[in-house]
């Protein structure tokens, strides 16, 4: 019985207790010294905006409509910055994460239902990571897709090692992988020599987007997949990792300020990456009438002179696959932490992180293995599962985004830090629009 208590225990303390208030921050010091101390959580959040599931959509958008959808990338990034600001502020001010606050304001059965929805959303994210990583492994090492899927199970060991080394090491690794992704696509875009003037004009919204059905569909795909539910839970928790004075309003104000800076800087990098993806599609593939429906298609196109022109080479394709693998591994880390947050917050149940990771990975990897065997490793069929996982994320989004806007605007919870009226109503407007867009995407997907 005692062993069971050690494995499964009651949790109603600080969010992610293992890392909560563990990172020292200077009480006095320069702006940049404080910013450096608070930097890190934003990188983990930014990962969700560079998910493998969005890559094909962004590049296909550039290939079909050149630079015209860059305005959608910009608007999506600004929306992300606002919502992640709310998420980090809620965690810092209340010392409760979004899962804990939602559970506090619902009954037991309601909390259980919301937990199941959140867990399924995290599993859907994990499925996308497994497929992205497995395809990258296949492209890099020429192994069957099933072998690549099974290899992804080994990343459990990576996370366990990182947790032993400390949370700052996790933040550093994620930031390094983001740098790899950014570096790869910046290099490839520079080689492609895009038209800079056309790029800049692409950031100006055009009425044509709403009039062209095909363009509107891809635009909605970019917007609808921008905000992922697990990111809101994640940010509300890891923003509390810094050791600021919870009882001192000036200290809390400082924490909110620098957490917002960290988040916006990292999300700006995510915006640059997504812009580079769309620009790469426009510069290399616009007008070529190439079918870019799969990640493998992109890999092959980058080394095909008939498509990518004189810059085509195996090196470009390999760099693409490396960036894809980096993106997948980043999702592994953030997905596991998010899973721990929602389990402890909604049902007050705590299990060892390694067990959480093993259980999540087994549940997520099972449908991927089934699809891989059933369709004999057909990559196109496997990627259809990735599409369905994104559809479920769309379903789960309202269950996290509406509570977030409500809690961050609640003066009883937030005091002087509550959202100003214009931010509150802008938040609700964004929540409604995203929900409608996601419902539309779901209907058209089926």
């Amino acid at each position: 019985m005692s062993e069971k208590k050690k494995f499964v225990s009651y949790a109603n303390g600080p969010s992610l207790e293992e890392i909560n208030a563990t990172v020292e921050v200077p009480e006095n010091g320069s702006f940049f010294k404080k910013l450096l101390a608070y930097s890190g959580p934003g990188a983990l959040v930014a990962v969700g905006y560079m998910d493998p599931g969005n890559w094909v959509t962004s590049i296909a958008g550039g290939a079909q409509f050149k630079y015209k959808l860059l305005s959608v990338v910009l608007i999506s990034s600004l929306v992300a910055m606002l919502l992640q600001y709310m998420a980090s502020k809620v965690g810092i001010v209340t010392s409760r994460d979004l899962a804990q606050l939602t559970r506090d304001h619902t009954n037991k059965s309601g909390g259980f239902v919301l937990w199941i929805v959140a867990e399924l959303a995290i599993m859907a994210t994990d499925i996308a990571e497994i497929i992205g990583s497995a395809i990258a492994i296949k492209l890099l090492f020429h192994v069957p897709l099933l072998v690549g899927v099974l290899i992804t199970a080994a990343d459990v060991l990576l996370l366990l090692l990182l947790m032993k080394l400390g949370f700052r090491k996790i933040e550093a690794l994620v930031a390094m992988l983001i740098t790899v992704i950014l570096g790869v696509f910046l290099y490839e875009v520079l080689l492609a020599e895009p038209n800079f003037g056309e790029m800049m004009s692409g950031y100006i919204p055009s009425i044509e987007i709403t009039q062209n059905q095909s363009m509107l569909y891809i635009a909605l795909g970019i917007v609808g997949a921008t905000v992922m539910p697990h990111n809101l839970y994640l940010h509300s928790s890891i923003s509390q990792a810094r050791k600021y004075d919870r009882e001192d309003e000036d200290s809390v104000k400082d924490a909110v300020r620098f957490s917002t800076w960290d988040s916006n800087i990292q999300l700006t990098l995510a915006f640059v990456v997504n812009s580079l993806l769309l620009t790469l599609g426009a510069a290399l593939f616009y007008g070529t009438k190439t079918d870019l429906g799969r990640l493998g298609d992109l890999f092959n196109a980058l080394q095909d002179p008939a498509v990518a022109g004189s810059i085509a080479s195996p090196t470009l394709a390999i760099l693409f696959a490396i960036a894809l693998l980096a993106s997948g591994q980043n999702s592994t880390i953030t997905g596991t932490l998010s899973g721990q947050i929602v389990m402890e917050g909604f049902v007050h149940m705590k299990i060892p992180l390694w067990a959480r990771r093993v259980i999540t990975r087994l549940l997520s990897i099972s449908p991927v293995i089934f699809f891989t065997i059933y369709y004999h490793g057909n990559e196109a069929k496997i990627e259809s599962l990735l599409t369905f996982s994104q559809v479920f994320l769309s379903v789960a989004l309202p269950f996290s985004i509406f509570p977030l806007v409500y809690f961050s605007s609640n003066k009883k919870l937030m005091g002087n830090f509550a959202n100003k009226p214009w931010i509150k109503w802008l938040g609700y407007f964004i929540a409604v629009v995203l929900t409608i867009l996601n419902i539309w995407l779901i209907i058209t997907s089926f």
Side-chain angles (χ1 to χ4, degrees):
M1 189 73 176
S2 60
E3 287 300 314
K4 186 176 182 181
K5 285 183 179 179
K6 288 180 182 178
F7 184 78
V8 180
S9 57
Y10 181 77
N12 195 24
S15 180
L16 278 184
E17 194 168 1
E18 301 90 334
I19 66 168
N20 195 287
T22 59
V23 180
E24 296 285 348
V25 292
E27 292 184 12
N28 301 301
S30 67
F31 172 87
F32 290 105
K33 186 176 181 181
K34 286 188 175 182
L35 179 60
L36 182 63
Y38 278 96
S39 294
L44 274 75
V45 169
V47 168
Y49 300 90
M50 293 177 264
D51 185 80
N54 300 334
W55 286 28
V56 171
T57 303
S58 295
I59 296 179
Q64 292 180 42
F65 306 109
K66 215 167 185 181
Y67 306 106
K68 292 178 181 176
L69 294 180
L70 282 172
S71 60
V72 179
V73 175
L74 175 60
I75 292 170
S76 299
S77 299
L78 293 175
V79 168
M81 288 179 183
L82 178 63
L83 294 176
Q84 296 301 158
Y85 154 73
M86 290 183 187
S88 66
K89 184 173 70 170
V90 159
I92 291 169
V93 174
T94 67
S95 294
R96 305 283 283 174
D97 61 53
L98 182 58
Q100 290 173 326
L101 285 171
T102 306
R103 178 66 183 89
D104 291 344
H105 291 78
T106 55
N107 56 32
K108 189 173 181 179
S109 57
F112 182 79
V113 170
L114 291 172
W115 171 58
I116 295 299
V117 172
E119 288 285 5
L120 290 174
I122 290 167
M123 190 185 302
T125 304
D126 208 34
I127 286 173
E129 178 269 314
I130 292 167
I131 294 172
S133 295
I135 291 173
I137 292 169
K138 176 190 175 184
L139 296 174
L140 287 169
F141 303 107
H142 308 289
V143 299
L145 194 60
L146 179 59
V147 174
V149 171
L150 295 174
I151 289 173
T152 64
D155 63 22
V156 175
L157 302 175
L158 172 66
L159 184 64
L160 296 179
L161 174 63
L162 288 171
M163 288 301 287
K164 288 185 179 295
L165 295 175
F167 191 60
R168 285 294 268 175
K169 300 294 190 302
I170 293 178
E171 294 174 341
L173 176 65
V174 169
M176 183 188 74
L177 292 175
I178 289 175
T179 303
V180 169
I181 296 168
L182 177 63
V184 166
F185 288 117
L186 181 60
Y187 172 70
E188 294 191 345
V189 166
L190 289 175
L191 285 180
E193 298 182 347
N195 185 308
F196 187 75
E198 287 187 33
M199 273 182 62
M200 291 299 100
S201 64
Y203 288 112
I204 301 173
S206 168
I207 191 68
E208 185 184 352
I209 295 173
T210 61
Q211 297 172 339
N212 184 318
Q213 188 173 1
S214 298
M215 191 184 294
L216 180 62
Y217 181 79
I218 292 184
L220 292 179
I222 293 171
V223 175
T226 294
V227 184
M228 304 179 90
H230 77 282
N231 255 349
L232 303 178
Y233 295 112
L234 177 70
H235 207 182
S236 65
S237 175
I238 60 177
S239 61
Q240 301 175 51
R242 270 51 189 174
K243 203 171 183 180
Y244 56 91
D245 187 348
R246 267 70 170 166
E247 304 301 322
D248 180 66
E249 187 166 317
D250 287 335
S251 181
V252 172
K253 186 177 181 180
D254 245 16
V256 171
R257 177 190 177 200
F258 286 103
S259 178
T260 304
W261 269 99
D262 170 47
S263 175
N264 287 345
I265 289 171
Q266 296 296 339
L267 289 175
T268 299
L269 290 178
F271 159 70
V272 171
V273 168
N274 288 321
S275 293
L276 290 173
L277 283 165
L278 195 142
T279 301
L280 185 67
L284 287 184
F285 307 125
Y286 180 72
T288 62
K289 297 181 181 179
T290 304
D291 181 14
L292 297 174
R294 300 184 295 119
L295 294 168
D297 294 333
L298 292 168
F299 180 84
N300 294 328
L302 287 170
Q303 52 189 327
D304 185 355
V307 179
S310 59
I311 70 165
S313 73
T315 302
L316 285 184
I318 289 171
L319 287 173
F320 172 83
I322 290 172
L324 178 60
L325 185 60
S327 176
Q329 290 311 298
N330 265 343
S331 299
T332 292
I333 295 169
T334 57
T336 301
L337 292 174
S338 302
Q340 197 77 2
I341 291 162
V342 300
M343 179 179 284
E344 293 179 13
F346 278 118
V347 294
H348 299 162
M349 186 169 71
K350 185 181 182 68
I351 64 174
L353 194 62
W354 66 265
R356 167 77 208 186
R357 187 63 202 146
V358 170
I359 293 169
T360 302
R361 179 44 55 97
L362 286 175
L363 290 173
S364 302
I365 207 171
S366 299
V368 182
I369 291 176
F370 172 78
F371 267 66
T372 305
I373 294 173
Y374 185 78
Y375 289 113
H376 306 289
N378 185 306
E379 190 180 321
K381 297 291 186 181
I382 305 305
E383 285 196 26
S384 67
L385 181 61
L386 188 151
T387 303
F388 282 118
S389 73
Q390 301 305 301
V391 169
F392 184 81
L393 287 174
S394 299
V395 176
L397 184 59
F399 292 94
S400 57
I401 194 171
F402 281 102
L404 172 65
V405 178
Y406 171 76
F407 293 134
S408 60
S409 304
N410 189 317
K411 286 189 176 291
K412 289 183 179 179
L413 283 172
M414 302 293 292
N416 295 329
F417 295 95
N419 293 330
K420 294 178 181 178
W422 72 269
I423 295 179
K424 170 185 173 181
W425 293 114
L426 178 60
Y428 278 125
F429 173 75
I430 289 170
V432 170
V433 170
L434 281 175
T435 302
I436 292 172
L437 294 183
N438 282 317
I439 290 172
W440 191 89
L441 277 174
I442 292 165
I443 292 171
T444 54
S445 294
F446 289 100

